[in-house]
Amino acid sequence: MNYIGSKYKLLDFIKTSVQGVVGDNLSDKVFCDLFAGTGIVGRSFKPYVKQVIANDLEFYSYVLNRNYIGNNAYIDTLSYLFELNQLTGRKAFIYNNYCQGGESDRQYFSDENGQRIDDIRLQIENWYTTGRINENVYFFLLASLLEAADKVANTASVYGAYLKTLKKTAQKPLTLLPAEYEITDGNHKVYNKNSNSLIKEIEGDILYLDPPYNARQYGANYHMLNTIAKYDTFVPSGKTGLREYNRSDYCRKGEVEKAFEELIKNSKFNYIFLSYNNEGLMSEDKIRQIMQRYGKYDLVTTAYQRFKADKTENRNHKASSTTEYLHILEK
């Protein structure tokens, strides 16, 4: 999934850095991914640790992590995916509010894909409420739908705006593919809570932090995924059809330092790793000052090419050289 701040390209760097501090054998460790996003970091550590704790304030993220981290046993899903892929479509909430043929004239999806999202989402909910599928299958299917919808979304990158005309990938028919997860021995946990509240309730060995770096609120940029995941009733607001969304203190210049120090202070983890870059609201010096108050501090960095999506119909990309900081604290 195309995602702001994705750590996919940095997984080797993160894992090598963690093992360099904690040790190569992580099999008896509890690893927490507190701002999990799509769960890519927690997923990469899942086979190597005793337990993964994943959390994010956004519900779409909870759905993805509930599947990729929370699901830990084999599920026979092919028959469900086959049935859902046979559905022809239904004019319901997504079509009416986020497709050009609907009542709003918005165009986040083609008319056909909007109707398919509605039909599939309603069928998944019906199966769950009638007891045909259990919670594990429910979140597997929802995660599969979110990823399928994201692939055919008519946006340049995020969901802050839609394109005026349908781009090529948005014209392709939506197809559900399995959101495959790794089966491991651990008893993993997934939460959908404010990180600064949850940190007071959990403990473990390795705390990985990847909070928002700047003023972009994830709830606004990914509101469409939350709407598909929740499939609740509300009146979409404005030209882009926004819903009410969470506003993180980590995206507020006047609040981020206070929130971050509170988080570090309340954490009951031996090792803390913070991913941040040179474009963030908090400076390298300020992060160092805060973390040094609570234990032994270190810093490692790496340069990498990050891609920013232009707001064009062709979804062109610019390569941007960014320095990624991994701040390390041994409490």
Side-chain angles (χ1 to χ4, degrees), residues 92-115 117-118 152-155 159 161-163 166 223-228 231-244:
F93 191 82
I94 301 300
Y95 171 77
N96 288 332
N97 291 285
Y98 298 101
C99 297
Q100 196 167 58
E103 302 163 358
S104 69
D105 202 36
R106 301 183 186 103
Q107 195 169 212
Y108 279 101
F109 301 100
S110 70
D111 289 353
E112 294 76 12
N113 284 336
Q115 292 177 57
I117 291 169
D118 277 322
V152 297
N154 190 43
T155 64
Y159 295 85
Y162 52 85
L163 301 176
L166 287 174
H223 69 96
M224 197 72 253
L225 297 184
N226 270 335
T227 294
I228 295 171
Y231 211 75
D232 49 358
T233 301
F234 66 97
V235 179
S237 174
K239 183 177 180 180
T240 59
L242 270 177
R243 60 183 297 126
E244 287 293 319

Side-chain angles (χ1 to χ4, degrees), residues 268-280:
K268 297 181 284 290
F269 288 79
N270 300 322
Y271 304 95
I272 301 175
F273 296 84
L274 167 71
S275 280
Y276 219 70
N277 70 24
N278 57 327
E279 300 173 352

Side-chain angles (χ1 to χ4, degrees), residues 33-37 55-56 61 195-196 208-212 248 250 263:
D33 189 359
L34 199 63
F35 301 85
N55 173 67
D56 202 283
S61 174
S195 296
N196 279 50
Y208 175 72
L209 304 174
D210 185 23
S248 171
Y250 290 88
L263 184 67

Side-chain angles (χ1 to χ4, degrees), residues 111-125:
D111 289 353
E112 294 76 12
N113 284 336
Q115 292 177 57
R116 283 183 56 73
I117 291 169
D118 277 322
D119 209 355
I120 291 169
R121 183 64 185 85
L122 287 164
Q123 185 62 270
I124 293 171
E125 198 67 27

Side-chain angles (χ1 to χ4, degrees), residues 28-31 203-207 268-272:
D28 64 341
K29 306 300 183 187
V30 174
F31 179 93
E203 58 183 284
D205 303 291
I206 303 165
L207 177 62
K268 297 181 284 290
F269 288 79
N270 300 322
Y271 304 95
I272 301 175

Side-chain angles (χ1 to χ4, degrees), residues 10-137:
L10 294 167
L11 290 177
D12 287 341
F13 167 67
I14 294 169
K15 187 181 177 188
T16 300
S17 299
V18 169
Q19 288 179 315
V21 175
V22 181
D24 290 336
N25 185 1
L26 305 176
S27 60
D28 64 341
K29 306 300 183 187
V30 174
F31 179 93
C32 178
D33 189 359
L34 199 63
F35 301 85
T38 61
I40 194 68
V41 175
R43 279 190 252 174
S44 71
F45 278 89
K46 184 180 176 182
Y48 302 102
V49 298
K50 179 173 68 174
Q51 181 184 62
V52 172
I53 301 171
N55 173 67
D56 202 283
L57 189 58
E58 299 303 325
F59 188 71
Y60 68 84
S61 174
Y62 175 76
V63 169
L64 295 172
N65 283 281
R66 175 58 183 79
N67 175 59
Y68 286 116
I69 303 298
N71 275 343
N72 217 25
Y74 173 74
I75 301 173
D76 186 1
T77 59
L78 291 181
S79 61
Y80 299 117
L81 292 172
F82 179 79
E83 280 192 59
L84 292 173
N85 277 322
Q86 300 310 302
L87 297 176
T88 56
R90 195 185 318 188
K91 294 179 179 180
F93 191 82
I94 301 300
Y95 171 77
N96 288 332
N97 291 285
Y98 298 101
C99 297
Q100 196 167 58
E103 302 163 358
S104 69
D105 202 36
R106 301 183 186 103
Q107 195 169 212
Y108 279 101
F109 301 100
S110 70
D111 289 353
E112 294 76 12
N113 284 336
Q115 292 177 57
R116 283 183 56 73
I117 291 169
D118 277 322
D119 209 355
I120 291 169
R121 183 64 185 85
L122 287 164
Q123 185 62 270
I124 293 171
E125 198 67 27
N126 175 263
W127 284 347
Y128 185 53
T129 55
T130 59
R132 180 175 171 185
I133 60 175
N134 62 23
E135 187 176 286
N136 291 338
V137 179

